Amino acid sequence: MSKFNRSTMVGVSALVLFATALAWRLPSLAQQPPGGQPPDDRRGRRVFDPAQMVDMVLDRMQLNDAERAATKETWLAKISARNALIEKVSQLREVAENPQSSEEDLKRALGDFAAAYQTYAKTVSEADGKLVKKISLRTRARLTAMGILENGVGFGGGFRFMGRPRRPDGNDRSVARRGGDGQ
């Protein structure tokens, strides 16, 4: 397997893991008091709050207040849409892995998933379209590179999961610090 394929697989796996964790934790948001801290789970651990993750990322991006608010609203809507799609993927997986599933069950589950995917794609496209009207071109480029605006790669954009981010010239940032040979 080539280095690119391994890196791509690791990146996709990381995104799937992130999305699964997000989907698993989102129902707890309904239990969170408005403006308060998320409740602890039954074991005393803090419950994952996607809004906090969104806030942390947006804080690092240093957007102006209007762009930040519009981006947060859009991103949270897209997370919600993704979670609805994840639910349909889970249902499809259950039917697909059940040896008792009939051809009709499989067709129905695939149809339900296809409809959910169309709804997801429409929601994401419309949300992105509204957001780009509210942000600068530079912010649009930054949000696209991060995967907050749809980029076909997902969150993290061009970040390499198997190493450091690359400079625009394609070289690893650490090469210059190590004397240029990468060793």
Side-chain angles (χ1 to χ4, degrees):
M1 186 178 284
S2 74
K3 182 177 180 181
F4 173 77
N5 286 338
R6 283 191 304 266
S7 296
T8 301
M9 287 178 58
V10 170
V12 169
S13 298
L15 288 171
V16 169
L17 180 62
F18 172 77
T20 303
L22 190 62
W24 181 64
R25 295 296 191 167
L26 262 175
S28 67
L29 287 177
Q31 301 169 0
Q32 180 177 343
Q37 295 294 322
D40 291 344
D41 70 3
R42 287 178 257 181
R43 296 182 192 132
R45 296 178 300 192
R46 301 240 332 148
V47 177
F48 177 77
D49 179 6
Q52 287 179 332
M53 185 263 315
V54 167
D55 283 334
M56 287 186 331
V57 172
L58 295 178
D59 286 346
R60 289 183 185 151
M61 293 188 77
Q62 299 177 343
L63 304 177
N64 69 41
D65 290 342
E67 289 182 329
R68 187 182 197 290
T71 301
K72 182 176 180 178
E73 179 183 342
T74 298
W75 199 0
L76 290 174
K78 290 170 67 173
I79 288 171
S80 179
R82 181 173 291 127
N83 287 331
L85 183 61
I86 289 171
E87 178 64 31
K88 289 298 180 185
V89 169
S90 294
Q91 292 171 3
L92 176 60
R93 183 177 300 116
E94 287 177 23
V95 173
E97 292 178 358
N98 182 350
Q100 305 291 323
S101 295
S102 68
E103 293 280 321
E104 195 58 40
D105 293 335
L106 294 166
K107 287 178 186 177
R108 185 175 30 257
L110 283 167
D112 289 349
F113 168 75
Y117 183 81
Q118 290 298 319
T119 299
Y120 166 78
K122 181 180 179 190
T123 300
V124 167
S125 178
E126 289 174 356
D128 283 352
K130 289 177 186 175
L131 179 59
V132 299
K133 294 176 183 175
K134 299 177 183 179
I135 58 177
S136 70
L137 189 58
R138 181 167 307 280
T139 297
R140 180 179 178 180
R142 292 173 69 202
L143 295 177
T144 301
M146 285 293 297
I148 296 168
L149 283 171
E150 184 59 43
N151 64 10
V153 179
F155 181 71
F159 184 78
R160 294 184 351 182
F161 289 96
M162 290 299 292
R164 295 179 176 92
R166 291 192 180 268
R167 296 190 317 213
D169 65 3
N171 292 317
D172 187 316
R173 293 181 193 277
S174 62
V175 171
R177 288 192 304 251
R178 295 186 301 219
D181 64 356
Q183 298 299 321

